[in-house]
Amino acid sequence: MNSDDIKLVNLAFRVPRVEAAGAYADAVPGWSKTALHDIDGVPFMEARLGDVRINFFENAVYDEAPESAPPGFLHASFAVADLEGFLSDVHWRAHLTWGPAEIRGGFGRRRIAFFEPFPGCRIELMEEIDD
């Protein structure tokens, strides 16, 4: 595992309503709505601001009490070639907060895990799984 094997995929934000975020992305120059997806029935919108992919969720997969969670930044997502390599590393494993789990949606199939290496800094690592 080295830094060349890690690539920023997206930034994720919680919003009160995915539909409202989509309307904003459609109306404001610089933004573009690219897709609506869902993970286990939970909808999210993928958008772009310039070259950066940004995902908008009403609830995150790791939310324990989503009705009380405020809108705002959720996490940065990074693609990795081998999630198991990170999970087996004692330093990463010590900061695991959710997962690993397999998810499926319009984006394909992924194995994901969330880490919080520093307070308030949540990172998702994801490994693409070929179907």
Side-chain angles (χ1 to χ4, degrees):
M1 152 179 50
N2 70 48
S3 61
D4 294 337
D5 296 331
I6 302 170
K7 176 185 152 201
L8 178 65
V9 175
N10 65 64
L11 302 176
F13 291 86
R14 181 187 332 274
V15 293
R17 290 189 18 249
V18 168
E19 296 84 11
Y24 182 86
D26 284 339
V28 177
W31 283 92
S32 62
K33 181 170 64 177
T34 58
L36 292 172
H37 298 291
D38 75 77
I39 299 172
D40 296 329
V42 176
F44 75 95
M45 182 191 71
E46 181 181 288
R48 289 197 178 271
L49 178 58
D51 292 333
V52 178
R53 187 181 334 167
I54 301 175
N55 290 342
F56 294 95
F57 297 85
E58 291 176 22
N59 300 305
V61 296
Y62 47 76
D63 281 339
E64 292 181 21
E67 63 279 354
S68 65
F73 181 74
L74 288 171
H75 59 267
S77 300
F78 294 88
V80 297
D82 177 24
L83 181 59
E84 195 56 43
F86 289 89
L87 292 169
S88 65
D89 180 280
V90 66
H91 300 289
W92 280 93
R93 189 72 185 191
H95 299 285
L96 180 68
T97 60
W98 188 90
E102 189 176 303
I103 60 170
R104 180 185 301 269
F107 49 79
R109 201 165 59 117
R110 297 176 177 159
R111 188 163 177 245
I112 63 173
F114 291 88
F115 303 86
E116 192 167 341
F118 309 103
C121 177
R122 185 166 289 178
I123 295 173
E124 174 188 14
L125 297 182
M126 65 175 70
E127 177 182 353
E128 298 285 333
I129 300 173
D130 294 328
D131 281 327

